[in-house]
Amino acid sequence: MDWQDALREIITQPNTRLRFGEPLSKHTHFGIGGEATVLIEVSTIEELAALARFHSKWKIPVAIIGRGANMLVSDKGFSGICIKLIGELAKLDVDDNVVTVGAGYPLPALSKEMSRKGLSGVEFVLGIPGTVGGALIMNAGAWGSSFGDVVTDVTVMQNTGELLKLTQDEANFEYRRSRLDTYFCIIGATLTLKHGEVGTITQKMNTLFKQKIETQPFVEENAGCMFKNPQGDSAGRLIDISGLKGYRIGGAEVSTIHGNFILNINNATATDVLKLVAYIQKHVHKKTGISLETEVKRLGFDT
Ligand SMILES: Cc1cc2nc3c(=O)[nH]c(=O)nc-3n(C[C@H](O)[C@H](O)[C@H](O)COP(=O)(O)OP(=O)(O)OC[C@H]3O[C@@H](n4cnc5c(N)ncnc54)[C@H](O)[C@@H]3O)c2cc1C
């Protein structure tokens, strides 16, 4: 039996969806990327554990995808299994100010739902189009807040399929990174939020969202900020003073609204994006002496 037949045998849940040769451009905000050998939308912890054991046994590469909002997938695609979390892995449970949320849950929905319940702490994620899992891995943040700040603990799955609960300290949240990417998959987290007035929280959430759509591109396909901000500076400012706004390679363009966003304006390929990334890094370094480091995760590339 080959690995693909063996895989079909372990997928038994009616809600779990399995698709071979799935274009990853359909699952990333960039709208870029070749096919995954297989994409599975997993709906239960048991099935995810079976996949973890499958991965350990067959040594087939696995990548977990949230909303693909911080991801550049290669034009060749991904030779392996892409997993998205749905069903019981994307659930929300609120008990007083303690929120238990599955890694597949979308951030904008979390922000809206918490504002309706008068819970403060995640107003800033309305404009971040990812999932809780992606926000935990990346320690997503905006306007001085970071997702890790509201986390009490994180549940992860190990390669054996066993679950492990990590404290906020163990997750080691830092600027746009955490220690969580060493596990097979993030299952979810417990957040501790603060009680507040529904009106005040909603207003804060809407103000931050408005600020975001006024200062960042929201129409064209992109993957959020392409580069991390260097200590004490902003990558967008450095790209701007280097005269790169509007610069285009193939179908990829540096946003004229915010220099740290690369847009897919005309069927850009991952190759176009990476050429543009290299061009920006070279020219920003020449102009300012600063080396920009990318924030966007890559999938399906050789290195
Ligand atoms: C328009 C736009 C605006 C944005 N604004 C912001 C912003 O203000 N601040 C900010 O920080 N980011 C921003 N981003 C980037 C992005 O939304 C965040 O990084 C978000 O947290 C990514 O979540 P995701 O679920 O889409 O992760 P993905 O892009 O799907 O994945 C990111 C990484 O996390 C891993 N991953 C995802 N889920 C899991 C899981 N359950 N278990 C293990 N690994 C997992 C993936 O393998 C990958 O390595 C923006 C993006 C866009 C397109």
Side-chain angles (χ1 to χ4, degrees):
M1 189 189 311
D2 71 7
W3 72 266
Q4 301 188 9
D5 289 331
L7 182 66
R8 280 190 190 90
E9 280 194 359
I10 63 166
I11 301 296
T12 53
Q13 293 295 324
N15 293 331
T16 292
R17 292 190 284 261
L18 182 135
R19 281 171 255 170
F20 286 90
E22 177 71 359
L24 289 173
S25 53
K26 286 182 11 194
H27 299 273
T28 60
H29 264 262
F30 243 144
I32 293 174
E35 292 179 356
T37 312
V38 55
L39 181 129
I40 309 176
E41 288 176 286
V42 185
S43 58
T44 69
I45 290 190
E46 288 69 32
E47 215 158 38
L48 191 63
L51 283 168
R53 292 189 292 271
F54 179 91
H55 166 63
S56 299
K57 181 177 170 194
W58 289 83
K59 310 283 178 233
I60 305 297
V62 166
I64 316 287
I65 304 187
R67 292 277 161 123
N70 197 55
M71 212 177 245
L72 178 67
V73 178
S74 113
D75 299 318
K76 289 186 300 195
F78 179 65
S79 181
I81 303 169
C82 281
I83 294 178
K84 290 181 88 169
L85 307 180
I86 61 168
E88 72 177 42
L89 298 160
K91 270 174 52 182
L92 178 73
D93 184 54
V94 183
D95 181 9
D96 194 32
N97 65 329
V98 178
V99 179
T100 310
V101 62
Y105 201 82
L107 296 171
L110 177 70
S111 193
K112 285 186 198 161
E113 190 57 25
M114 293 307 103
S115 73
R116 275 194 287 272
K117 290 192 182 305
L119 290 173
S120 173
V122 288
E123 293 89 334
F124 69 98
V125 304
L126 179 61
I128 306 184
T131 59
V132 165
L136 288 163
I137 288 273
M138 299 303 304
N139 191 17
W143 317 114
S145 302
S146 299
F147 199 70
D149 300 346
V150 294
V151 169
T152 312
D153 56 61
V154 182
T155 304
V156 295
M157 184 174 280
Q158 304 176 86
N159 281 330
T160 54
E162 280 162 301
L163 298 182
L164 182 68
K165 201 174 255 198
L166 305 170
T167 62
Q168 185 196 45
D169 272 359
E170 288 166 336
N172 202 27
F173 294 110
E174 289 174 17
Y175 172 64
R176 298 299 171 266
R177 57 181 292 200
S178 68
R179 202 187 283 151
L180 298 166
D181 54 6
T182 52
Y183 298 96
F184 177 69
C185 184
I186 298 175
I187 301 296
T190 311
L191 317 178
T192 305
L193 304 181
K194 288 198 174 79
H195 288 290
E197 291 269 324
V198 171
T200 314
I201 294 167
T202 308
Q203 196 185 11
K204 181 175 175 192
M205 179 182 76
N206 289 337
T207 304
L208 293 180
F209 185 68
K210 190 164 170 273
Q211 240 167 285
K212 195 166 170 79
I213 57 175
E214 280 170 1
T215 54
Q216 297 176 9
F218 245 83
V219 178
E220 302 88 350
E221 294 171 308
N222 67 78
C225 288
M226 181 51 72
F227 301 98
K228 293 184 181 187
N229 287 325
Q231 185 89 36
D233 209 331
S234 121
R237 189 190 79 82
L238 298 172
I239 293 167
D240 194 0
I241 61 165
S242 304
L244 297 170
K245 273 181 164 178
Y247 191 81
R248 192 187 287 191
I249 294 183
E253 184 182 279
V254 179
S255 166
T256 50
I257 299 173
H258 191 308
N260 201 6
F261 285 69
I262 291 183
L263 311 178
N264 173 5
I265 51 155
N266 186 16
N267 298 317
T269 60
T271 308
D272 294 339
V273 173
L274 288 185
K275 279 186 187 161
L276 190 51
V277 164
Y279 187 89
I280 294 168
Q281 285 172 321
K282 183 174 156 203
H283 284 266
V284 167
H285 189 263
K286 203 165 146 198
K287 173 87 183 169
T288 68
I290 296 174
S291 303
L292 290 179
E293 191 190 330
T294 50
E295 176 177 319
V296 169
K297 300 275 187 190
R298 297 178 195 188
L299 182 65
F301 295 91
D302 295 333
T303 50

